[in-house]
Amino acid sequence: METIPMINEKQALSDAGHKVHLLNLEFDDLEKWVQSIGQPKFRGKQIFQWLYVDRVTDFDAMSNLPQKLREQLKETATINTMREVTRQVSTDGTIKWLWELYDGSTIETVLMRHDYGNSVCVSSQVGCRMGCTFCASTLGGLVRNLTGGEVVEQLLNVQRFLDSAAEEQERVSSVVLMGSGEPMENYDEVMKFVDIINDQNGLKIGARHITISTSGLVPAIRRLADEKRQITMAISLHATRDEIRSALMPINRRWGIDELLESCRYYIRQTGRRISFEYALVGGQNDDLAHARELAGLLTNIDCHVNLIPVNYVPERNYTRTPKDQIRAFVNELNRLGVNATVRREKGHDIAAACGQLRAEQGRI
Ligand code: SAH
């Protein structure tokens, strides 16, 4: 299997801590940065296009830059700050990577192939401090926030993989922030990531094709609503009553279901966008028909779509999965009550594709 080409990996990683990470710079910032090292502004645009249109992996390939500038870039900047530790390939085409960052931390990224295109799930933090009881990402707590550039690099690595693996040009068509971490806790860096992949000079991934999933940080949902970006908001709801939700998701003790749903209504009003709710069916806890009816009651008058996710088995957590016919009955009940709901088609079930699973399995926590 081909690997993603990189310049000398060890060198790249040891440099990454003190060099400027170019993937961390939005278009305008890259223009400013090239000027700060004594170059004309237009070099910024050239470099940006090398990074996101040609997707080169080293400075020597930037053939329209003067040799002297290329040497200067090698001295002061980097575009490779992570190395592939391992990769798992599912029979359904899903691929999951485990990356090591320059400081030894590890994160995961997943590529999913759908009929409608390629979607990539990126991580926004190393670990997570939300403490959701069913989730593997939070097992070792939060290590640190990722920089916007580290989120960009995950995506770029997957796009480079598609560039090298596919016979025809294949693009990443949608991006979900559903890897490890709570993206709304790392707001500024996540928005930097959004701006960089959105840029018309580069990858041009539209905001409508970017989904941010949150465990429910109400002030951040309101902040994003006020920015009126067209990003798709996904809310990890998972329960219909505060007692159940607080037991599964400690954040619910800070912002309860009512307050959370109020912020969702606000998001819809401000942006005109429909919201997604994630509802993981956890055997015996939130998965009977009474819960389906309560859920329908809660979501009355909210323009939304519900994604039902049969809980993924995490060895450290002892949850059981809801039987298939009960899942059917749950979704039918929601539909009958007028709620738009589907069961998420599972991808990568034969590999450790759920949040944080591969990292946990590799003993990297
Ligand atoms: N912190 C954010 C984004 C990361 S998790 C959030 O909470 O939304 C992405 C989604 O996967 C969330 O809906 C999360 O609750 C869900 N998830 C985590 N572990 C899971 C598991 N074992 N089974 C099913 N869904 C899970």
Side-chain angles (χ1 to χ4, degrees):
M1 172 163 296
E2 71 310 319
T3 50
I4 292 166
M6 284 197 152
I7 49 173
N8 183 326
E9 285 187 342
K10 279 212 175 75
Q11 186 61 42
L13 284 185
S14 67
D15 285 348
H18 62 270
K19 287 186 173 176
V20 176
H21 189 202
L22 296 189
L23 305 182
N24 225 356
L25 301 180
E26 290 175 39
F27 185 82
D28 294 353
D29 291 334
L30 188 57
E31 283 186 336
K32 284 189 201 124
W33 182 77
V34 292
Q35 287 174 292
S36 78
I37 60 164
Q39 295 290 329
K41 190 173 164 185
F42 72 90
R43 296 287 182 212
K45 183 170 186 173
Q46 286 179 320
I47 296 173
F48 200 86
Q49 289 179 338
W50 281 117
L51 295 178
Y52 300 108
V53 180
D54 304 285
R55 302 189 276 271
V56 301
T57 50
D58 69 78
F59 295 117
D60 281 326
M62 299 184 176
S63 56
N64 60 358
L65 303 185
Q67 186 62 35
K68 198 162 154 274
L69 173 54
R70 282 186 249 162
E71 294 307 321
Q72 197 179 1
L73 290 173
K74 282 189 230 171
E75 291 288 304
T76 53
T78 177
I79 54 175
N80 296 291
T81 68
M82 50 184 76
R83 113 187 144 78
E84 182 174 333
V85 178
T86 179
R87 183 191 303 193
Q88 291 187 341
V89 182
S90 162
T91 48
D92 65 18
T94 302
I95 305 181
K96 181 162 195 166
W97 284 269
L98 184 73
W99 310 105
E100 182 183 28
L101 310 182
Y102 74 90
D103 63 354
S105 298
T106 52
I107 51 163
E108 301 169 9
T109 310
V110 185
L111 165 66
M112 288 159 289
R113 319 281 193 125
H114 305 279
D115 312 336
Y116 54 84
N118 295 303
S119 100
V120 173
C121 173
V122 291
S123 295
S124 56
Q125 295 180 318
V126 181
C128 185
R129 70 185 186 102
M130 291 298 117
C132 301
T133 56
F134 47 82
C135 181
S137 298
T138 202
L139 289 169
L142 175 68
V143 178
R144 69 170 171 89
N145 278 332
L146 294 180
T147 63
E150 287 170 323
V151 190
V152 171
E153 195 171 331
Q154 295 171 58
L155 183 68
L156 200 51
N157 279 344
V158 176
Q159 181 59 64
R160 287 171 181 155
F161 163 80
L162 289 172
D163 293 340
S164 65
E167 280 161 25
E168 287 167 35
Q169 168 79 21
E170 268 198 68
R171 291 188 66 226
V172 172
S173 47
S174 59
V175 177
V176 294
L177 283 120
M178 291 191 186
S180 61
E182 170 48 58
M184 290 305 218
E185 245 204 351
N186 188 14
Y187 194 94
D188 293 340
E189 295 301 308
V190 165
M191 293 313 148
K192 190 200 286 177
F193 161 73
V194 168
D195 288 336
I196 291 173
I197 67 168
N198 212 209
D199 201 294
Q200 289 307 303
N201 294 295
L203 291 167
K204 298 190 217 175
I205 299 177
R208 286 167 178 258
H209 300 280
I210 301 171
T211 300
I212 295 186
S213 181
T214 179
S215 55
L217 274 73
V218 165
I221 295 169
R222 289 182 171 272
R223 179 175 171 194
L224 189 61
D226 287 336
E227 289 182 18
K228 296 193 166 44
R229 292 168 180 266
Q230 290 296 297
I231 293 174
T232 303
M233 200 66 264
I235 307 288
S236 299
L237 188 59
H238 303 328
T240 50
R241 288 178 229 158
D242 280 326
E243 317 85 84
I244 305 177
R245 191 164 191 271
S246 296
L248 293 171
M249 305 178 71
I251 185 136
N252 194 68
R253 294 185 206 128
R254 180 75 181 78
W255 293 288
I257 293 176
D258 283 350
E259 219 178 331
L260 175 59
L261 294 182
E262 197 41 52
S263 72
C264 294
R265 289 191 195 90
Y266 185 71
Y267 190 86
I268 296 167
R269 277 202 303 280
Q270 291 292 80
T271 62
R273 301 277 294 152
R274 143 191 289 207
I275 289 213
S276 273
F277 289 98
E278 318 284 309
Y279 193 97
L281 292 157
V282 185
Q285 302 213 17
N286 64 357
D287 64 342
D288 62 37
L289 287 185
H291 294 119
R293 284 176 211 123
E294 281 177 14
L295 184 57
L298 280 180
L299 302 181
T300 316
N301 300 328
I302 300 185
D303 183 16
C304 66
H305 179 267
V306 175
N307 264 320
L308 297 167
I309 321 164
V311 75
N312 274 307
Y313 179 68
V314 176
E316 294 80 358
R317 312 291 198 194
N318 208 10
Y319 290 127
T320 53
R321 286 165 72 89
T322 306
K324 278 213 168 65
D325 47 350
Q326 195 176 329
I327 297 177
R328 265 289 119 227
F330 198 99
V331 73
N332 288 344
E333 188 66 0
L334 286 175
N335 291 338
R336 190 180 70 78
L337 295 166
V339 177
N340 209 312
T342 46
V343 182
R344 176 176 295 169
R345 259 187 39 221
E346 289 186 74
K347 295 265 173 196
H349 202 57
D350 55 331
I351 59 174
C355 303
Q357 279 186 348
L358 182 55
R359 178 165 166 261
E361 197 179 275
Q362 297 272 319
R364 291 293 188 136
I365 293 179

